[in-house]
Amino acid sequence: MSAERVERIRQLLQAAFAPDRLEVVDDSARHAGHAGARDGRGHFNVEIVSLAFAGLAPLARHRKVYAALGEMMTTDIHALSIMARTPDEAG
């Protein structure tokens, strides 16, 4: 199930942001037994670089990522670490 979740996250973010760089890492194994992970939802790290984040504060960038992931935020994702930057910020 984990590989499918990672791929679905990638697909949704790719469609929403056409990123220059996108990395999605499933970090769920490090949180096994954690109270929030008991329901089967996962912990993920996302690094995304896209022009879509230009002019946005970090909180607004995170909200756009959450919106792009939609229902997955309540059905598949317990925790999400986001590094959202523009190409200029990524170097």
Side-chain angles (χ1 to χ4, degrees):
M1 179 80 164
S2 177
E4 291 93 4
R5 284 182 180 164
V6 168
E7 183 56 30
R8 183 69 180 139
I9 291 168
R10 290 185 60 73
Q11 289 172 355
L12 290 169
L13 296 178
Q14 186 70 39
F17 301 107
D20 293 348
R21 184 167 66 228
L22 176 60
E23 183 176 350
V24 180
V25 176
D26 182 354
D27 198 26
S28 300
R30 290 187 50 216
H31 300 276
H34 179 266
R38 288 189 189 126
D39 63 4
R41 296 182 300 152
H43 290 67
F44 300 91
N45 299 319
V46 169
E47 182 178 349
I48 184 168
V49 177
S50 173
L51 284 173
F53 300 124
L56 297 177
L59 182 57
R61 294 174 184 195
H62 286 210
R63 286 180 175 154
K64 285 183 73 98
V65 170
Y66 297 146
L69 294 174
E71 192 174 310
M72 282 194 81
M73 291 301 301
T74 59
T75 60
D76 293 89
I77 299 171
H78 170 72
L80 184 65
S81 171
I82 303 169
M83 173 74 71
R85 297 177 289 170
T86 65
D88 289 342
E89 295 166 340

